[in-house]
Amino acid sequence: MNSTEHSHANKMVRPYEIERLHYLDNLRALAMIGGVFFHAMLAYSPALHNLWLTADREQSVIIDIVAWFSHLFRMPLFFVIAGFFVAYLVSKRGMRGMLFNRTKRVLLPFIIFLPLCLWAIVASLMSAVATVEHKSPFLQMVAQAMATPGTPPPPFSTMHLWFLYNLMFFCVLTWVFSYINWSHLYKLFSAIKPLPFVLLFPLLLIPGLLLVESPFPAPDKLLPQLWAFGFFGLFFALGYWIFSTQNFIDRFQPYYIALFMASLILYAAYYFFIPKEFTFPSTPFEFPQNIIVKLCEAYISVWMTLVCLVAGKRYVNSHSRTMRFFSDSSYWIYIIHLPLLFAVQYQLMDKNWGLLAKYSASVGITLLIGAVSYLLLVRWTPIGWMLNGRKRAVNKTETVAMTQ
């Protein structure tokens, strides 16, 4: 470790090392597993019916209302927690140790599992093109493209693993920015009161959001997306600073119900303006509608992230074997869930079941296969060590989970 890393590590405040923060482990798991529920919803979304591979005949506006609300804060919450964990690693191991750990736990799984997930999705897609009778509009387009010689291949995508790709960039930028003196900004951030924070911080997200359509898509391209750095990157930075800010989350405890209600009100306006049927390429919003939509996105994402952090600390800040297994397996389940989910939903497209039955079956089968495969193939194997580290007994005052 060089002198800069020593200095940075020594200056990093460690208010969270006293006890293990179970609620952050549990919230991270909920954000991961929430991806299974979210992606399963998209098959029954009227708005995405023409653009989603497994779009089903069964659709419901309620699906869209729930899906796009959760979409606004699920991944921002994940990146806040990811930034917090990276700050912990820097305080414990220095910048070099943090980068080594994130390379092993983030970059290596991305490199290994992206090709495997792509292969699995293509394989199930080929099968669906040949066997599914009630094809989705997008599946019909794929079938037509396959039957037309000379059709160019689709652009490369990091798919649902985009979060690992972007997270690794954020970790590298953490190291780059460590050579800048942030002490004045840190003092300002540490002293800010809840009301100015919830009013001003969302405005920092607006420039990034103005670079992309709404609802914001997954930044899954191989070329890093600037808007994602100005949006998810700021949530990552927020989590990084929260680690060194004593009782930051507790400051919002008196306001989290009000923030939740305000988010619902803003979401009503947001949902009114966003398209009820998405197209590609999307039609840009006109002024001032565009500004209203972006403001709603920014404020809801920040406010609901704070609501989740406060509620998590109040209600899921406890240890149990069930939650520990849930937390440990969530990373693996998320990595493999999309190929599994697509394979299951292709089989359901020709079934004359109701929406609730199809949705429950697709989520339930995906989670069951993910959990069982984790138990049998991952937990005590090198794959599990790569994703979660080697298992060992810990006591209540350790923060071992922070390194995951």
Side-chain angles (χ1 to χ4, degrees):
M1 185 186 300
N2 59 37
S3 59
T4 302
E5 292 176 346
H6 270 301
S7 175
H8 188 95
N10 290 336
K11 291 180 180 179
M12 180 74 76
V13 181
R14 302 185 183 185
Y16 291 96
E17 282 194 308
I18 299 174
E19 59 178 341
R20 181 169 175 173
L21 302 180
H22 298 293
Y23 77 98
L24 288 181
D25 279 337
N26 296 336
L27 282 175
R28 179 178 53 184
L30 289 171
M32 289 281 196
I33 300 300
V36 180
F37 288 85
F38 173 74
H39 288 135
M41 288 185 204
L42 301 185
Y44 313 103
S45 161
L48 269 186
H49 183 72
N50 293 323
L51 299 178
W52 194 249
L53 271 173
T54 58
D56 198 274
R57 291 170 293 166
E58 300 289 340
Q59 302 172 45
S60 172
V61 173
I62 296 175
I63 290 289
D64 275 341
I65 293 173
V66 175
W68 301 121
F69 182 62
S70 68
H71 175 67
L72 291 174
F73 61 87
R74 183 178 62 84
M75 291 311 295
L77 173 65
F78 171 84
F79 279 106
V80 168
I81 297 172
F84 187 100
F85 287 170
V86 166
Y88 170 80
L89 285 170
V90 171
S91 74
K92 183 180 179 183
R93 306 182 184 183
M95 284 292 171
R96 186 176 302 173
M98 179 274 291
L99 288 174
F100 177 79
N101 178 278
R102 297 295 86 177
T103 298
K104 181 173 65 174
R105 301 282 176 83
V106 175
L107 182 59
L108 190 57
F110 175 79
I111 293 172
I112 292 174
F113 289 111
L114 180 62
L116 296 175
C117 288
L118 282 169
W119 174 84
I121 286 178
V122 171
S124 66
L125 174 63
M126 297 298 101
S127 175
V129 167
T131 61
V132 172
E133 180 180 351
H134 296 93
K135 294 180 176 65
S136 66
F138 198 85
L139 199 58
Q140 293 175 19
M141 186 177 68
V142 171
Q144 183 178 2
M146 291 173 58
T148 306
T151 301
F156 182 83
S157 171
T158 57
M159 301 192 307
H160 62 300
L161 302 186
W162 65 265
F163 79 101
L164 295 175
Y165 190 59
N166 282 266
L167 179 55
M168 199 63 215
F169 278 107
F170 297 161
C171 292
V172 173
L173 287 176
T174 299
W175 165 64
V176 173
F177 290 155
S178 68
Y179 291 94
I180 300 175
N181 185 350
W182 298 97
S183 58
H184 295 296
L185 187 59
Y186 169 74
K187 290 179 181 177
L188 177 65
F189 178 81
S190 300
I192 194 168
K193 302 298 182 182
L195 183 59
F197 179 86
V198 299
L199 292 178
L200 297 178
F201 184 79
L203 297 179
L204 300 178
L205 307 174
I206 299 297
L209 289 172
L210 287 172
L211 299 176
V212 70
E213 63 266 24
S214 297
F216 52 83
D220 59 352
K221 296 180 176 60
L222 192 61
L223 183 67
Q225 304 296 289
L226 181 61
W227 77 266
F229 285 73
F231 183 70
F232 295 116
L234 285 179
F235 281 104
F236 177 89
L238 174 62
Y240 190 91
W241 268 312
I242 286 176
F243 175 80
S244 301
T245 306
Q246 187 71 40
N247 298 324
F248 177 84
I249 297 172
D250 294 334
R251 300 176 192 176
F252 298 89
Q253 195 279 331
Y255 312 105
Y256 82 105
I257 297 296
L259 289 175
F260 176 67
M261 299 305 297
S263 297
L264 292 179
I265 294 171
L266 284 185
Y267 183 67
Y270 176 77
Y271 187 78
F272 174 80
F273 283 114
I274 63 173
K276 302 307 177 285
E277 183 177 330
F278 300 157
T279 58
F280 183 82
S282 60
T283 303
F285 294 110
E286 296 182 359
F287 183 87
Q289 179 180 344
N290 189 42
I291 296 299
I292 295 173
V293 168
K294 301 307 181 183
L295 285 170
C296 289
E297 280 184 326
Y299 279 94
I300 293 170
S301 62
V302 173
W303 292 354
M304 283 304 302
T305 296
L306 292 172
V307 168
C308 291
L309 290 170
V310 173
K313 193 168 185 180
R314 283 174 61 92
Y315 301 113
V316 295
N317 194 20
S318 60
H319 172 76
S320 71
R321 288 188 177 182
T322 300
M323 287 304 300
R324 183 59 183 162
F325 174 80
F326 182 64
S327 177
D328 287 346
S329 63
S330 61
Y331 192 3
W332 166 254
I333 291 174
Y334 187 84
I335 286 175
I336 67 170
H337 88 276
L338 200 59
L340 287 174
L341 185 64
F342 279 0
V344 172
Q345 289 186 329
Y346 286 139
Q347 300 303 311
L348 295 174
M349 290 170 74
D350 289 334
K351 302 292 184 184
N352 292 319
W353 297 1
L355 186 153
L356 183 59
K358 286 187 175 184
Y359 179 75
S360 300
S362 60
V363 171
I365 294 171
T366 300
L367 291 178
L368 179 62
I369 295 175
V372 172
S373 63
Y374 175 77
L375 266 177
L376 299 180
L377 304 175
V378 176
R379 191 175 194 182
W380 306 108
T381 69
I383 299 175
W385 302 338
M386 175 181 64
L387 297 179
N388 296 326
R390 289 179 179 268
K391 300 298 174 189
R392 63 184 181 86
V394 297
N395 60 49
K396 293 183 179 180
T397 62
E398 288 184 297
T399 55
V400 175
M402 298 296 186
T403 64
Q404 296 179 2

